[in-house]
């Protein structure tokens, strides 16, 4: 999927040698817009009953009656459920997902990945490793819980919208109840904390590298010029604004590309991926979406 080929460098890390100009050229050659469209086409078809089946058979959790609900998702299928389990490895206190009603139940998300990423389990592994680093830095975020076979990534057959059946990656993650950051009033204290959380996530990932993070991805700012084919979809006044921005990027940013630092980063500290805990008075949590992690310029 357009991933950069590389070899391990000093200390077992993969060197980030591509310039921003090289990344932009690769994006134009590999059609990242096509990759994005494929994610929509290969979004799995599933319902609450299927979520219950997967939860039981793959992870040994028993969803409570009426608790399963389909969560909004960009290109995967995510199901929330309140469930019980006899497996202690799914009940770590650090996951903060215990539910008091009824006692002994926990909050979970069962995630069925789109067909594109299910063909690249190495990238999903990359996400799992990144989440562990962020947690170790003191920012709560989910972790991949082990399946009954002890694997962080399970697999199950699931149909697509066209009726074809594909082998999809499935993960189970702890769910910590929160509201979206966008639902809170952006006071100075909250914005200060947002900056702190964003900085801690970036610092936690600064020493992280993985070959699957080197990929062609339309959300990577290095690939800004690749959105030119979409300009005609904008209203004229917006089209002119974005066209000017693209010209500025190509004339000002690209010539400086060799001087810009590069690292793995989440790159989407927006109102959706960050949750606000404890009724707008608790700490922020980070939710590393499956399609956002990329090795890019910062």
């Amino acid at each position: 999927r357009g991933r950069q080929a590389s070899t391990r460098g000093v200390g077992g890390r993969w060197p980030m040698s591509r310039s921003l100009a090289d990344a932009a050229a690769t994006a134009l050659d590999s059609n990242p817009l096509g990759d994005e469209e494929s994610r929509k086409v290969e979004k799995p078809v599933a319902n609450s009953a299927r979520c219950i089946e997967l939860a039981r058979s793959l992870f040994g959790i028993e969803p409570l009656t009426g608790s399963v609900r389909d969560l909004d998702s960009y290109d995967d299928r995510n199901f929330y459920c309140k469930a019980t389990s006899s497996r202690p490895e799914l009940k770590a206190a650090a996951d903060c997902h215990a539910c008091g009603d009824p006692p002994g139940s926990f909050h979970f998300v069962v995630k069925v990945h789109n067909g594109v990423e299910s063909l690249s389990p190495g990238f999903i592994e990359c996400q799992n490793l990144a989440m562990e680093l962020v947690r170790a830095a003191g920012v709560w975020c989910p972790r991949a819980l082990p399946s009954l076979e002890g694997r962080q990534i399970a697999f199950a057959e699931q149909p697509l919208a066209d009726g074809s059946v594909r082998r999809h990656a499935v993960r189970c993650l702890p769910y910590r109840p929160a509201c979206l950051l966008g639902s809170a009033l952006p006071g100075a204290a909250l914005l200060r904390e947002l900056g702190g959380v964003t900085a801690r996530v970036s610092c936690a990932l600064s020493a992280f590298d993985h070959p699957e993070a080197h990929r062609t991805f339309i959300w990577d700012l290095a690939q800004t010029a690749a959105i030119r084919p979409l300009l005609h979809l904008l209203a004229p006044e917006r089209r002119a604004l974005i066209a000017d921005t693209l010209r500025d990027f190509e004339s000002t940013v690209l010539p400086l590309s060799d001087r810009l630092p590069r690292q793995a980063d989440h790159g989407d500290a927006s109102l959706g991926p960050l949750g606000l805990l404890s009724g707008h008075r608790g700490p922020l949590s980070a939710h590393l979406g499956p399609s956002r992690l990329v090795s890019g310029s910062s």
Side-chain angles (χ1 to χ4, degrees):
R1 293 179 33 226
R3 173 173 61 84
Q4 174 195 10
S6 59
T7 56
R8 284 180 183 262
V10 178
R13 295 186 63 209
W14 288 266
M16 298 181 184
S17 58
R18 282 196 309 176
S19 70
L20 187 59
D22 291 338
T26 300
L28 293 173
D29 291 340
S30 59
N31 187 22
L33 292 177
D35 175 86
E36 196 74 0
E37 180 61 28
S38 295
R39 295 170 183 273
K40 307 300 182 298
V41 174
E42 299 195 28
K43 183 172 183 174
V45 175
N47 55 24
S48 297
R50 180 57 171 160
C51 167
I52 294 173
E53 292 176 2
L54 295 174
R56 289 171 174 167
S57 63
L58 298 180
F59 299 100
I61 64 176
E62 183 63 38
L64 302 182
T65 302
S67 72
V68 179
R69 70 174 187 268
D70 193 354
L71 301 176
D72 184 35
S73 175
Y74 187 67
D75 47 21
D76 303 323
R77 295 304 301 268
N78 298 323
F79 292 92
Y80 161 82
C81 66
K82 187 186 298 184
T84 58
S85 176
S86 61
R87 302 179 62 206
E89 59 267 42
L90 306 186
K91 306 176 183 180
D95 289 327
C96 303
H97 66 316
C99 178
D101 183 22
S105 62
F106 294 82
H107 302 284
F108 295 99
V109 166
V110 176
K111 183 179 195 68
V112 185
H113 287 263
N114 66 77
V116 172
E117 288 177 355
S118 294
L119 294 175
S120 300
F123 176 61
I124 304 175
E125 177 191 75
C126 174
Q127 298 170 44
N128 292 343
L129 294 172
M131 289 192 294
E132 293 290 351
L133 284 174
V134 172
R135 286 169 65 98
V139 179
W140 190 93
C141 79
R143 66 183 177 102
L145 300 173
S147 69
L148 288 170
E149 296 181 349
R151 302 178 185 275
Q152 290 184 321
I153 307 170
F155 288 90
E157 291 190 342
Q158 199 64 30
L160 301 176
D162 64 4
S164 61
V165 177
R166 293 283 298 275
R167 186 170 178 261
H168 290 269
V170 184
R171 289 189 295 175
C172 182
L173 305 106
Y175 176 94
R176 189 174 184 181
C179 64
L180 294 180
L181 180 62
S183 65
L185 294 176
L190 179 57
L191 293 177
R192 187 179 302 111
E193 187 175 1
L194 172 60
V197 167
T198 303
R200 289 199 296 276
V201 170
S202 294
C203 287
L205 297 176
S206 63
F208 174 72
D209 201 5
H210 190 285
E212 293 291 341
H214 297 261
R215 61 196 184 110
T216 300
F217 186 50
I218 194 63
W219 292 65
D220 181 0
L221 293 181
Q223 300 167 16
T224 297
I227 67 170
R228 277 195 179 278
L230 301 179
L231 285 177
H232 71 281
L233 299 175
L234 300 174
E237 63 276 8
R238 297 287 294 173
R239 189 184 312 148
L241 174 63
I242 301 304
D244 285 345
T245 301
L246 293 177
R247 282 191 291 270
D248 287 344
F249 174 82
E250 292 162 343
S251 64
T252 304
V253 180
L254 286 182
L256 300 175
S257 60
D258 291 336
R259 307 183 207 173
L260 298 176
R262 299 180 64 85
Q263 72 162 75
D265 202 7
H266 182 240
D268 192 15
S270 59
L271 302 183
L274 289 173
L276 186 62
L277 307 177
S278 304
H280 299 186
R281 289 183 297 277
L284 289 170
S285 64
H287 300 268
L288 298 189
S291 302
R292 302 295 183 268
L293 187 69
V294 68
S295 171
S297 296
S298 59

